[in-house]
Amino acid sequence: RELSNFDYLMKLNEMAGRSYNDLNQYPVLPWVLSDYASPTLNLADPAVFRDLSKPMGAQDPAQADLVRQTYELFDDPDIPRFHYGSHYSTMGFVLYYLLRLEPFTSHHKALQSGRFDHADRLFHSLGQTYHSCTHSSSDVKELIPELFCLPDVLLNRNGLSLGTRQDGQAVDDVRLPPWASDAVDFVAKHRAALECDHVSERLHQWVDLIFGAKQRGPAAAGALNVFFYLTYEGTVDLS
């Protein structure tokens, strides 16, 4: 293969105007795995992968039915129909993932009026984050490149006091799936999943949702891929 899936996606992000220099237009990469509970990761098993033909908010059949009903029943003279009241990539979501690294720690605190967000809303567990993103119409975020190449994003090397969740768990290093022995192992296996044949054969479906024909219009509606109208280019007059 002349070009890795990672490099291909990064080039698409660049061509779409996304950049590491803009937290509001930060590079976006897909969730590729759905299994964050098994003791081992078998990339030969199709069941461990996320469905790349569907947005995160439509991975779970019951949730897909809910967002479809939301779209069909919504009726407002001023606001177009939508499946999700949020988006797959925002500055807040980028800072959610990058919380443990500067300068993003400082950016996160600035966004939260000088303090860390409530511990229950911080990036604490990959499995719990995936579950949230597949069982909510307001949290449908995709991933960032660092989760495929930078183990430090998962480690609290700076000893930040991130608080204690309501279930009594202290927020420190991000909790990894059982199949990952440490952050380095997770990133290596996560990157291997992105580059495997199963993903390579289906990646174009996700590209259609984010960068291609299913971004807007009837194709987006049919793919359960319509977001709140203010998240689209051209809907806000910036002049």
Side-chain angles (χ1 to χ4, degrees):
R1 187 184 302 166
E2 295 184 6
L3 189 68
S4 70
N5 289 339
F6 182 88
D7 289 338
Y8 167 64
L9 291 172
M10 292 305 296
K11 180 58 68 174
L12 278 180
N13 274 279
E14 179 184 343
M15 295 174 69
R18 291 184 170 272
S19 167
Y20 285 120
N21 298 319
D22 187 348
L23 292 174
N24 285 302
Q25 290 291 333
Y26 206 76
V28 55
L29 266 66
W31 288 90
V32 293
L33 296 171
S34 63
D35 184 353
Y36 297 90
S38 296
T40 59
L41 180 64
N42 180 11
L43 296 181
D45 181 2
V48 306
F49 294 96
R50 165 257 181 102
D51 186 343
L52 289 166
S53 70
K54 300 175 181 179
M56 287 301 290
Q59 296 292 309
D60 178 76
Q63 186 64 25
D65 288 341
L66 179 61
V67 299
R68 184 182 292 107
Q69 292 177 27
T70 297
Y71 182 88
E72 293 174 350
L73 298 176
F74 187 80
D75 185 16
D76 188 286
D78 301 314
I79 300 176
R81 290 179 174 180
F82 59 90
H83 296 109
Y84 315 105
S86 181
H87 201 246
Y88 54 78
S89 178
T90 69
M91 179 175 70
F93 294 159
V94 172
L95 295 176
Y96 171 88
Y97 289 125
L98 295 174
L99 166 70
R100 292 163 175 82
L101 299 178
E102 286 288 9
F104 307 104
T105 303
S106 297
H107 290 324
H108 169 92
K109 293 175 74 173
L111 188 65
Q112 300 293 335
S113 303
R115 63 176 70 88
F116 289 118
D117 197 3
H118 192 282
D120 285 272
R121 291 194 291 264
L122 298 179
F123 186 24
H124 171 64
S125 160
L126 280 153
Q128 289 180 7
T129 298
Y130 180 82
H131 184 273
S132 175
C133 293
T134 54
H135 290 79
S136 170
S137 58
S138 60
D139 181 11
V140 291
K141 55 183 171 288
E142 294 281 2
L143 297 182
I144 57 172
E146 286 82 353
L147 287 165
F148 296 91
C149 62
L150 185 64
D152 281 3
V153 75
L154 302 168
L155 301 173
N156 187 16
R157 293 193 186 278
N158 293 322
L160 303 173
S161 297
L162 300 175
T164 302
R165 295 162 52 88
Q166 292 185 53
D167 60 9
Q169 298 181 50
V171 180
D172 192 28
D173 294 344
V174 176
R175 298 204 168 198
L176 305 173
W179 48 257
S181 60
D182 55 30
V184 173
D185 188 49
F186 170 81
V187 168
K189 290 175 178 175
H190 201 210
R191 180 67 172 267
L194 177 64
E195 304 296 343
C196 76
D197 288 343
H198 179 95
V199 172
S200 297
E201 292 165 0
R202 296 163 176 80
L203 190 56
H204 65 283
Q205 298 174 324
W206 183 83
V207 170
D208 279 347
L209 295 172
I210 305 300
F211 300 107
K214 295 181 180 180
Q215 291 182 81
R216 306 177 79 159
L224 305 182
N225 195 44
V226 180
F227 300 87
F228 193 67
Y229 78 105
L230 291 178
T231 64
Y232 291 96
E233 183 178 9
T235 56
V236 178
D237 186 0
L238 299 177
S239 61

